[in-house]
Amino acid sequence: MVGETAALRLGSTVAKAAAQMWLGGKRREQERRMDMSELIRVRVSGLRFQRGVERQFDEMADAVYDRLAPFLEREFPGLAENSRQAVIDAVCDTFAAADLSDEAILAADARPAEIVRRLTGAARPPVGLGEAETRLYEVLFAECVEYYVRIVRGLPVFEERALSELLARTTSLGAEIARVLQRLPDRSLFAPEGTDRDGEFRRRYLELVSTTLDEVELFRRTSDRAGAQVRLSVAYVSLRATGDEMRARREGARRALPLLRPDMSDWENSGGEGAGMRVEAALGGPTRVLLRGEAGSGKTTLLRWLAVTAARGAFTGELAGWNGLTPVFVKLREYSGRALPAPEAMLDSVAGQITGVMPKAWVERQLAGGRALLLIDGVDELLDAERRGVREWLRKLLAAYPEVRMVVTSRPAAAGADWLRREKFTALHLDRMTPPDLAAFVRQWHQAVRELGEELPCPVEELPRYEQSLLNSLKDRPHLQSLAGTPLLAAMLCAMHLNRGSQLPRDRMELYRNALHTLVHERDADRNVPSAVDSGLSLGDKVVLLRDLAWRLSDNNRSEISLDQAAVHVGRKLAGMRHLDEEDGRAVLESLRDRSGILRSPTLGRLDFVHRTFQEYLSAEEAAEEDRIGNLIERAHLDLWRETIIMAAGHANRPQREELLDGILDRAASEPRWTRKLHLLTAACQETVPQLSEELAGRVDTAVETLLPARRESDPAQLAAVGTSLLRKMPRSLTELSEKAAVQTVRTLALIGGSEALGLLSSYVGDKRDHVVRQLIQSWSYFDPDVYADAVLSGVQLAHHSVVVKHSGQLRPLGRLSPNRVDIRFPLDDLSALRMLPPVRDLIMWSLIGEVDLSHMPEMPSLNWLLLGADAVFTHLEALEFFPSLTHLGMSVLNTPDISSLRLGQKMVDVYLLEVTRDTDLAQCQTALSGLRRLNLWPYNFSPVDLAALPAIPELCLNRFDVSAWLETPNFKPPKVKRLQLQNCVLPHDRGALDFPGVEVRIV
């Protein structure tokens, strides 16, 4: 049922109930149960008056519809249509069965909350609703009761009946007052005034959060509609996260390292190894998370989405347990230079309009009861000294309220992974978007802008063409994929593509420049917006003012300034711009804030840039314009100034570039503590500088040479940040390098990417060292699968190495190669896709999902080793009998307890049954297992397994098995084997209990 139909039905239901109360009411109960039109005919005489009454109640229904339609549109948007239909039916059924007579209304003193409590307590709860559906039912029913009571209280007859009821009550006034006093709320330390208003305030607060935070600003050319905002719940795209403490679900302690350049996985693939977990899944486990991410990586957007989704109780999957939590969103930048908020002040930013009526200690009760979701945004936007205060503030909060869930965000430079380790925070890192993520972002962005309708620069029906055109451009131009690695830059690319056709920027300097021009001036001027036409400020004038503000903020290590102070700075700058008549600094500043799209007021009376990236770009331009090169050199070792200095090198004229880079290199020579960091910064500046003098180019080359070759694990990521300019210094051959250095060199090239890097990698194919060959194979996932297979892998000896396949696009070119061992690591549920593989000896498939039919496997006459793992349910196990060369089989039976159909070929000698549980009936496959040389059992989490049904086999290997519990089972019998190997098992204290007659026991 669409939202409009649902709202109309609910509106009619509410209006009908009100009509029945008015026309039937207290005096004639039997008439109250009539249909509304029938009741009107009985109670109202005359056809004309009957039609008039019907029109009145139709208007009431329309008024309710006008309120409910947007409510239904924004609440629980993720619910399926059939689930929403079930909720609407339940609300209407409850209304039809409810006692809404005037007696019932007056008994509850016409208070909606009390009426809801009585009705829900008396009615049978709806059946068949899930958690999200039940939450929507409760919220929607309360809304309808609210509207019903407001309508009834406005009916002329209600005052008459209320007065009669009041007179009737006076006869028992004393007893009533006694009962009222008995109902006074119990007071406590955390509820000094009771909790009877908590639910009502929470409902109002969650509505406000759901509305005010459910918006996101798009980077695009727009009309004078303030902010050009669309709903965040429509535009949101799930990102990925990795962290030092996160482990792959099936691969033990292996760490996923965040990379500067994501795997070039198939664009339609849902992900791959190394891409990290979905951030929602990563957040679902730990109760305290430090979420780190680079500029524009989506940290604030994620927190806003968490707050909105919590307010609506609409979490699913790993976060379903968060439904029912109360979100508290705190923006730390609002507290720069002042004390961090006490609990009662934490709602001021989002819900300052209603905190005046907040029940006393309400926030404290949410925190103390473990019902709060505390979202702390922007540690990096405070000064160093203030960050230390944040940690102490968090420590005290957690000491007072240890059960609270908390997510804190920061840029990595401001908070290391261990910054909150003592407070038992799990550190997560928001990854740059993979190609599938970027494709999803592009699609979702174009879906979101549909809401802007006629404000778009093209007809809505043309959006699919723009969307596909941009996706094609991104697929064909790898450097753009890297450029659009964050939601901020991806949004800019989407906007520029929509506004300028296929003219996409070549580098980030051009990207920022184009974005600034679009946002600051062109979006209004091109559409003749009056405020832009009448303004005497040119684009250059506006940029001058913005540059000055940006530098003042950066120079003081701030990201926010008071509006009054900023107006003073703008006024002084205007006084020196003699060609302008403008003198009112505040008016100009407010115009820039309201119209440019670059500035905003995060809170009343404060000002900042919409993103720090713009502040850094403009600061860099101001540094070049005002010749502040010395200031940049002094700060070159500070992480917070890295991006500003790199872009300043691009803005600067030739003498300034020489001074800047010479100064940084001089510091590197005289300050050993910072030598490597300053050399990396100098190398990175080559991304933006148009040219260097011969002498300076020599110094830069010498500095780069000190960084090469890469040797440490951390080197490739740092060197790749330098960009493609590093490629000219990379070796054309690996023969002079140690194996370790050669491996890191290959990895560095893979992270840089592009056709030139691919050409270098192709020149390394003659290297026969095992680790180098393995790294060349692993680098496949960073390039177009067909191109890399032909240019690199075709020249590599693959016979003795495992080829890891991370996405389905690699299967086709793999057929042209000759690997003996293939390891498939992307989600796969249809084994017929393996028909593209060449003949292989070993096949490993860890990521099988869903129901996997083994009869769909193609013929593989040379297959010797087969491993079937992960979360699949296997069917047609008898198909394994028809692989003539298969000698070793590994299979997870966690989701396949019925293995009765298992059949094995005559050459099978070794079987690994993984994740065996008590439900796995080994007796079902006695015949299949009886001919083995060795059986390996890996119980799931030391789960008890019945070994009595095993046939006689030469060797049994038990891994992660509770041997002590096994020995104590009733009617214990030793296994019918010659050798018993115990690995990582729980063993008895008395090892003599393992002396079985005729059995050789080996403990590993």
Side-chain angles (χ1 to χ4, degrees), residues 299 440 458 773:
K299 301 182 295 298
C458 71
V773 174

Side-chain angles (χ1 to χ4, degrees), residues 777-788:
I777 296 171
Q778 291 175 359
S779 298
W780 187 16
S781 60
Y782 292 91
F783 297 88
D784 178 274
D786 288 285
V787 174
Y788 193 88

Side-chain angles (χ1 to χ4, degrees), residues 411 508-509 550-551 554 612-624 632 635 638-651 660 681 685 688:
R411 286 192 189 184
R508 61 174 171 151
M509 292 290 283
W551 175 261
S554 297
R612 190 178 180 91
T613 298
F614 289 121
Q615 180 181 325
E616 290 167 336
Y617 177 88
L618 289 164
S619 293
E621 189 173 6
E622 177 72 2
L632 298 180
R635 297 164 178 176
L638 300 175
D639 290 329
L640 288 176
W641 283 84
R642 180 180 186 276
E643 297 301 312
T644 302
I645 291 172
I646 291 173
M647 288 187 276
H651 284 301
L660 176 63
L681 176 60
C685 287
T688 60

